[in-house]
């Protein structure tokens, strides 16, 4: 064997050894590399293999970029192996395919684990909206854009949404996202946090979310509580719109709550400001007062003598005439004089009489008219009376 043959065999053995010592690569692999040099048309990459890899400009990105402005020698990048050897023995690489495949793998991982991702809505399409995740087109059905009803999908264009992958098919290039699933979870977490922190009698800040005939619903931050009409004000409230409107920020009291039934009872009126607290001191039996008829029932009429304080005039105490219903004599809004028959401040009850107040007034008039100086006294008393 000549020295030349020996050297040739030794070189082949050495190359084979080097090649065998290198980590094998295959088409379709995603590997890491280090940029060796950058030109206007390609990037040379050291991938730890016997041959360096080359990224052509068209395989670098889906967007038009200046390679020299984007990369420099020493940069670490991930690349996709297109071909292990081309005609010149170089490894053909693609960065854009590596980026795309990595996105698909990340989306698949999110789908499997239930992890959320953030996307920007780009456009409205039939049945929903389109968002892109690093170049991958994803679909969000209209029913999954929000946990609430959405009338106009255009309001979401350009907005960033935190979503969950609910369908994934890499072969068909199909990815379906949902914002609704994320919002549902957020609501559940807020509700649980709210339930564990609620205390009876405490004050909470909220926003009036909805009005109903019987009261106002207030969003406490994850769940609605109800302020019944009777707890909106110490005055009689026929409809919550008399006191609040949707969107109002309010401070409320937690009256009671039941987690099992999902109910929270709230109050807007200040418990310490109950006008009945001072009724016993301010009013007593036989007092004659002015009042307003606020409600009529078959058995009597409720008359408000001051804001939040009402008394009942039984139908037999309205007039000496024979009537069967208060509505035969009275209507809501009438101003009347009443006499207090009985006061029970603890039970917040007061018995009143219109006819005795009128009889008392008549007695006073007759008493003064019998006196010698009755003419001018009668006139003075009469001018202050309201019938």
């Amino acid at each position: 064997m000549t020295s030349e043959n020996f050297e040739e065999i030794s070189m082949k053995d050495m190359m084979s050894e080097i090649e065998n010592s290198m980590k094998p690569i295959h088409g379709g692999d995603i590997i890491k590399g280090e940029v060796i040099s950058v030109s206007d048309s390609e990037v040379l990459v050291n991938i730890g293999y016997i041959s360096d890899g080359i990224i052509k400009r068209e395989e670098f990105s889906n967007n038009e970029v200046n390679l020299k402005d984007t990369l420099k020698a020493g940069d670490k990048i991930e690349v996709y192996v297109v071909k292990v050897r081309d005609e010149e023995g170089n490894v053909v690489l693609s960065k854009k395919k590596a980026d795309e495949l990595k996105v698909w793998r990340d989306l698949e991982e999110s789908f499997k684990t239930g992890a959320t991702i953030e996307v920007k809505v780009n456009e409205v399409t039939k049945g929903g909206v389109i968002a892109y995740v690093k170049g991958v087109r994803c679909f969000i059905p209209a029913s999954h854009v929000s946990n609430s009803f959405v009338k106009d999908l255009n309001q979401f264009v350009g907005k960033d949404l935190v979503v969950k992958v609910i369908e994934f098919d890499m072969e068909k290039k199909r990815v379906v996202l949902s914002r609704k699933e994320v919002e549902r979870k957020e609501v559940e977490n807020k509700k649980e946090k709210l339930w564990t922190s609620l205390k009876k009698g405490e004050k909470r800040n909220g926003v009036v979310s909805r009005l109903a005939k019987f009261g106002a619903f207030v969003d406490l931050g994850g769940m609605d509580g109800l302020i019944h009409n009777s707890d909106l004000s110490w005055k009689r409230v026929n409809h919550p719109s008399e006191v609040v409107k949707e969107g109002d920020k309010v401070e409320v009291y937690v009256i009671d709550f039941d987690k099992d039934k999902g109910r929270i009872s709230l109050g807007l009126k200040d418990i310490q400001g109950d006008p009945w607290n001072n009724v016993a001191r301010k009013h007593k039996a036989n007092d004659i007062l002015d009042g307003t008829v606020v409600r009529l029932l078959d058995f009597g009429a409720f008359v408000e003598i001051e804001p939040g304080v009402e008394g009942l005039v039984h139908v037999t105490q309205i007039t000496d005439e024979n009537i069967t219903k208060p509505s035969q004599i009275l209507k809501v809004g009438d101003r009347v004089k009443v006499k207090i028959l009985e006061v029970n401040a603890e039970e917040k009850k007061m018995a009143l009489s219109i006819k005795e107040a009128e009889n008392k007034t008549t007695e006073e008039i007759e008493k003064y008219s019998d006196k010698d100086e009755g003419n001018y006294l009668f006139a003075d008393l009469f001018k202050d009376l309201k019938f």
Side-chain angles (χ1 to χ4, degrees), residues 151-319:
K151 188 175 181 180
D152 184 11
L153 293 175
N154 286 292
Q155 64 182 288
F156 290 94
V157 175
K159 288 189 176 180
D160 293 322
L161 301 179
V162 176
V163 296
K164 187 176 180 180
V165 182
I166 57 173
E167 287 185 39
F168 179 86
D169 191 326
M170 189 170 174
E171 289 185 4
K172 295 181 179 179
K173 302 295 182 184
R174 175 177 170 81
V175 182
V176 180
L177 309 175
S178 173
R179 170 60 187 162
K180 181 170 73 173
E181 294 295 322
V182 177
E183 288 184 347
R184 278 182 178 174
K185 187 65 177 177
E186 289 173 349
V187 170
E188 287 175 9
N189 291 339
K190 284 182 179 179
K191 282 184 179 180
E192 191 57 36
K193 186 177 180 181
L194 181 62
W195 282 124
T196 55
S197 63
L198 275 179
K199 294 178 183 177
K200 292 182 182 179
E202 69 173 345
K203 288 183 178 181
R204 289 262 179 171
N205 292 317
V207 178
V208 178
S209 58
R210 181 164 59 95
L211 300 183
K213 186 178 180 181
F214 50 83
F217 289 92
V218 175
D219 182 3
L220 297 176
M223 190 171 180
D224 283 355
L226 172 65
I227 310 176
H228 192 272
N229 285 344
S230 59
D231 293 310
L232 279 166
S233 171
W234 291 112
K235 294 180 65 176
R236 179 176 293 278
V237 177
N238 296 309
H239 193 276
S241 59
E242 298 171 15
V243 182
V244 294
K245 63 180 183 299
E246 287 187 18
D248 280 355
K249 293 180 180 179
V250 292
E251 185 178 60
V252 294
Y253 291 88
V254 178
I255 297 175
D256 201 359
F257 58 90
D258 188 327
K259 183 177 179 180
D260 293 333
K261 294 181 179 179
R263 296 176 183 173
I264 303 175
S265 298
L266 305 173
L268 185 64
K269 61 188 183 186
D270 189 341
I271 298 172
Q272 301 301 320
D274 188 348
W276 279 93
N277 293 340
N278 299 313
V279 165
R281 179 176 57 81
K282 294 168 62 178
H283 307 297
K284 58 184 182 298
N286 296 319
D287 282 355
I288 305 293
L289 305 167
D290 290 317
T292 303
V293 178
V294 292
R295 187 157 59 115
L296 297 176
L297 299 171
D298 288 344
F299 57 84
F302 283 91
V303 175
E304 185 180 65
I305 61 170
E306 65 175 75
V309 178
E310 299 175 7
L312 173 65
V313 181
H314 193 268
V315 66
T316 58
Q317 292 295 327
I318 293 177
T319 179

Side-chain angles (χ1 to χ4, degrees), residues 103-115 168:
V103 174
W104 279 101
R105 288 179 178 175
D106 288 345
L107 286 170
E108 184 177 25
E109 183 68 16
S110 298
F111 175 64
K112 290 178 178 178
T113 62
F168 179 86

